[in-house]
Each structure stands twice: as structure tokens, then as C-alpha cells.
Amino acid sequence: MDLISRPNYYSKLEKLLGKGVLIVLTGQRRVGKSYVMRELVVRKQEEPGSNVVYIDKEKTAFDTIASYKDLVAYVDERLDKSKHNYLLIDEVQEIAEFERGLRNYYNEPYIDIVVTGSNSDILSSDLGTMLSGRYVEILIQGLSYPEFLEFHGLDDGESAINKYINYGGLPGLRPFGLDNPEIISDYIQGIYNTILVKDIIRRKKVRNVPFLENLIRFITDNIGKPMSATRIQNYMTSNESEVSKNLILKYMKAVTETYLASAVSRYDIHGKKLLETNDKFYFGDVGIRNFIVGGRRANDIEKIVENLVYQQMVRLGYEVKVGQLYNTEIDFVGTKGNEVVYVQAAYLITEEKTFNREFGNLMSVKDNYPKYVISMTPYMDSSKWEGIIHIPFAVFLKEGFIKGYRG
């Protein structure tokens, strides 16, 4: 089996085994949940005293496991109580009432259970109620930039960054290479269609499919902009498409539950509270986003840079919000435990107006938490700007936040 390890995720997973919790690997389809799962399968199959029961619901070989009763029958035949068992199920939401089947096993000390799911609502369903906090979610994202370089055998540099910006981090692109845009587009289209049809339209019983597709296109074209049901309704009305706010909210929720896009709440920095309107949206994979939008990246590179900075902050373990300080907006406020960072993301800072917006907004925040500007601007020296640290975009994607970075 040709596997490239993703050690950051696997180490998180390994630390949770044997702790009496069900482990749920979540994330958009084709971002690599199966890579992590298969690495676990391979490693545990090689361990003496281990018995692996592996179900991959993406394979037709497991089509007969359609309900929780089928699941229990299949697993019971394969458990070995003389060994430590690993029950591993890929795309568990494809099994009707799967949570009822898992109930048979999650209290057993000789079984670890790991499942993957492409819909976040599996955690808000009966599974969450049944386990009462006895599960841990690990969000799997597409490839980080260093992983992208490794998967595709690329050297770091402008060409590689451009490919990452254009094609995103779907691990499944590896067999096709990155030199044939038509094949890449076909592959990404297939994934998008699967998410659209299988995870949203069928699962949520969507009736107004044209509106759903228009809504997704609207989100893709408005990354990083405040988005409310009222704004979307006004836009649709101007395009002669009458829809209710309730339908807009329902479909937006369905989109985020598939991890196709994430809604990022606004945070009042002065009042230290969440604001309830005008979330911003960022895509889970910029390759899919770019496919939906079409065209060349030159017209929307600013949005993609902001999207990738958001993804990287989540990858680094931050809970990310959009900051609001009176009439000033901070692109991102990241919190991790007691740590707080403020971040502005930009493409190029070559004019005084842009400089004043990116650095000036951060200067208006009068506390001592670290403040960063991340951009693709060459030859910037961060030592000039009152403690605000500039990190080149590529450096941030490779190394994260570097205190005192001087280039």
C-alpha cells in the first residue's frame, strides 16, 4: 500500500487509543481522512496481539453493511476477544443508525473505535447524546504546504507556491501529477459533485438545487466578506431568484456541515464577546473553490491568500474568529488556551493606503498580544513597525508564527 504518513494527525490519533473514547476523524471528502485511517490499519495489522476490523464504506465490497444491524453482525463475526481489537470504519455516516451499532462496543475495554465522517452533524446527532462527551474529534484538513511539497516531490519556491494556490491540498491529486490542468479539473469536479449530490442534496433532501448551486457560487466569490442571510436574499432577488431567509440559512448550514466551507464568527475585541451577524466564509480546499469560480487566479489572489492563512491557523490549533474593534476590522483573532494572536492577511503591500490598513488596524488594538501581518510582499523588514511582525506568506505556510521574524 502506497502511503505517505501524515505524522501530525497520526500522533494525535495514537495518543488517544486506549483511553476509552471513541475517536472521530472529521473533514471534507478526499482531504485525507482515509490516509490517516489506512496508516492505522497497516500499523495495527503488524502488531502482535492486535485484531483489526476495517470497514471502508467507499468500497462496494461493504455495500451489504447498510444498517446498524448489518454492522453488528459483520463486527461480531470478526472480533477476537483474546486480542486487542480495533474497529475502524471509514465514512460511517453511510450506515443507517450507525450510532446504535457502535453502542454495542464502545464500553468494551478490548476495543478501540475509530470512525471517519464527512458530515459534522454526525457529532450533533444521537452519537453525541449516546456518548455524553466520550468521543474526541480530530479535524483532518487538506495537505499543508510542506505536505504538498512532499506528496508531489516538489522543491519549495515560487512555482510550488503557485501550484498550491491554484490546485489546493487534495491528497488524491498525487497520482495525476500537477502538469495537466484538464485532468486536475476533472478530478476536482468529481469530488465537488460527490459532495454536492451525496453529502448535501441527498442527505439533506434539497429540493431547490439551482438555488443551492447559486448559493455555493456566491460564497466562493465572496470569501472574506461579511455574509448574512439578508445580504444573500437581496443578491438573489436582484437576480430574479426569490428565496426565503430560512431556506438560505438551512442551505448555508448544509454547506458548512460537509466541511466544504466554514463559517467564521465575528468577535468584538473591545467587549470580548461574539457578534451574532455577518459571519465570513472560507473554503476547506482552495482547489475546489477555484474550480467553482473558474477563471484565472490573478483576479482573486487576495481572497485565496486570506483563505490559506485561515486554514493554516486552524491547522496550527487556533480557534479562529474575525476581529471587530469599533469600526476597525482585524482579519483574524486566533486563540489557543491562554494564547491570543491578531492577524492581517494581504497579497501585496505596495501602497501607503494598503500599509495603513493592514498595519494601522493592528496598531489600533491596544493590548500586548502578538500581532502579525502575513503577505506575499517581497523585501519587507518587520523591524520598523512598532512590534507588528511581518511574515512572508510562504514562510508562514511552512513554519507558522515566528516571534521576532526579521526575514
Side-chain angles (χ1 to χ4, degrees):
M1 184 179 293
D2 183 18
L3 287 176
I4 297 178
S5 178
R6 302 186 71 183
N8 290 339
Y9 294 124
Y10 189 82
S11 63
K12 290 181 183 178
L13 175 57
E14 187 71 48
K15 290 175 183 176
L16 293 170
L17 295 174
K19 300 297 190 299
V21 295
L22 184 146
I23 303 167
V24 185
L25 308 182
T26 58
Q28 177 195 286
R29 283 185 186 269
R30 298 294 188 269
V31 292
K33 300 185 301 295
S34 296
Y35 275 85
V36 179
M37 178 74 86
R38 289 170 191 165
E39 183 175 0
L40 179 63
V41 171
V42 170
R43 292 196 183 197
K44 296 307 176 185
Q45 284 177 337
E46 294 173 348
E47 286 185 359
S50 294
N51 178 52
V52 176
V53 180
Y54 176 47
I55 299 169
D56 183 356
K57 282 298 293 175
E58 297 245 287
K59 298 290 194 303
T60 57
F62 297 97
D63 282 351
T64 55
I65 306 176
S67 71
Y68 77 95
K69 291 181 179 179
D70 302 328
L71 174 63
V72 171
Y74 183 89
V75 173
D76 281 350
E77 285 184 7
R78 290 160 177 80
L79 288 179
D80 184 345
K81 294 185 179 181
S82 68
K83 298 180 178 180
H84 189 82
N85 292 265
Y86 295 91
L87 174 54
L88 313 176
I89 308 174
D90 213 348
E91 298 298 350
V92 71
Q93 78 276 355
E94 301 297 331
I95 302 173
E97 297 183 279
F98 66 89
E99 63 279 357
R100 295 183 65 180
L102 297 182
R103 185 183 304 166
N104 278 348
Y105 309 111
Y106 78 91
N107 272 329
E108 299 295 343
Y110 60 91
I111 301 178
D112 272 304
I113 304 174
V114 184
V115 301
T116 78
S118 299
N119 290 86
S120 64
D121 62 349
I122 70 170
L123 297 179
S124 59
S125 66
D126 290 341
L127 178 62
T129 303
M130 178 187 74
L131 296 178
S132 302
R134 295 186 60 190
Y135 67 89
V136 176
E137 176 186 6
I138 300 176
L139 175 64
I140 308 295
Q141 297 173 267
L143 301 176
S144 67
Y145 179 55
E147 289 175 328
F148 179 81
L149 296 176
E150 180 184 4
F151 267 60
H152 295 288
L154 300 174
D155 294 325
D156 182 24
E158 184 177 352
S159 175
I161 280 285
N162 288 340
K163 286 181 169 65
Y164 191 58
I165 286 171
N166 273 301
Y167 302 136
L170 296 172
L173 287 175
R174 181 171 175 255
F176 307 112
L178 298 176
D179 296 323
N180 192 323
E182 185 176 344
I183 292 177
I184 292 172
S185 179
D186 289 344
Y187 175 77
I188 293 176
Q189 181 178 13
I191 294 174
Y192 173 61
N193 288 343
T194 300
I195 295 170
L196 187 68
V197 174
K198 201 168 187 178
D199 293 338
I200 302 179
I201 295 173
R202 290 181 186 171
R203 188 174 179 83
K204 296 299 181 181
K205 298 179 174 59
V206 170
R207 295 182 179 179
N208 194 339
V209 175
F211 166 64
L212 171 66
E213 293 180 304
N214 287 336
L215 174 63
I216 293 174
R217 279 193 289 269
F218 182 81
I219 294 172
T220 62
D221 202 38
N222 288 275
I223 286 173
K225 294 181 180 179
M227 204 174 302
S228 66
T230 298
R231 182 186 173 199
I232 295 172
Q233 186 181 48
N234 291 339
Y235 172 80
M236 294 299 171
T237 300
S238 69
N239 286 274
E240 301 182 352
S241 177
E242 294 286 345
V243 290
S244 69
K245 290 183 182 179
N246 285 340
L247 186 66
I248 291 169
L249 292 172
K250 177 183 176 181
Y251 284 9
M252 290 175 75
K253 185 173 185 289
V255 170
T256 58
E257 283 179 344
T258 65
Y259 303 94
L260 184 64
S262 298
V264 182
S265 303
R266 301 171 72 82
Y267 179 76
D268 180 2
I269 296 172
H270 175 72
K272 306 298 182 186
K273 61 182 180 181
L274 286 176
L275 302 174
E276 296 182 357
T277 59
N278 289 332
D279 289 350
K280 290 188 175 184
F281 285 77
Y282 296 95
F283 261 66
D285 180 79
V286 296
I288 292 180
R289 182 265 168 195
N290 294 340
F291 164 78
I292 297 169
V293 172
R296 300 177 62 84
R297 301 286 69 76
N299 296 328
D300 53 13
I301 184 65
E302 188 90 26
K303 300 173 186 176
I304 302 173
V305 167
E306 189 172 327
N307 202 129
L308 288 170
V309 169
Y310 166 76
Q311 289 176 357
Q312 180 70 351
M313 290 182 68
V314 173
R315 192 175 284 114
L316 293 170
Y318 289 91
E319 182 181 1
V320 184
K321 306 295 180 187
V322 175
Q324 189 76 42
L325 183 62
Y326 305 112
N327 294 324
T328 299
E329 183 178 279
I330 307 300
D331 286 340
F332 301 118
V333 180
T335 58
K336 183 165 57 174
N338 294 324
E339 180 184 353
V340 178
V341 294
Y342 299 105
V343 178
Q344 290 286 96
Y347 172 42
L348 295 176
I349 303 173
T350 58
E351 298 178 354
E352 192 70 20
K353 179 181 178 181
T354 309
F355 176 89
N356 290 337
R357 181 182 70 237
E358 305 300 344
F359 286 86
N361 285 6
L362 290 174
M363 290 177 187
S364 68
V365 182
K366 303 301 182 183
D367 63 30
N368 294 321
Y369 291 119
K371 302 172 179 66
Y372 299 91
V373 173
I374 298 166
S375 82
M376 298 182 75
T377 311
Y379 311 120
M380 290 192 73
D381 180 354
S382 69
S383 63
K384 301 176 182 177
W385 301 305
E386 301 185 17
I388 297 172
I389 301 166
H390 175 263
I391 302 179
F393 177 63
V395 173
F396 177 68
L397 292 183
K398 289 181 291 186
E399 303 180 45
F401 295 111
I402 305 172
K403 296 181 180 178
Y405 181 81
R406 290 294 180 267

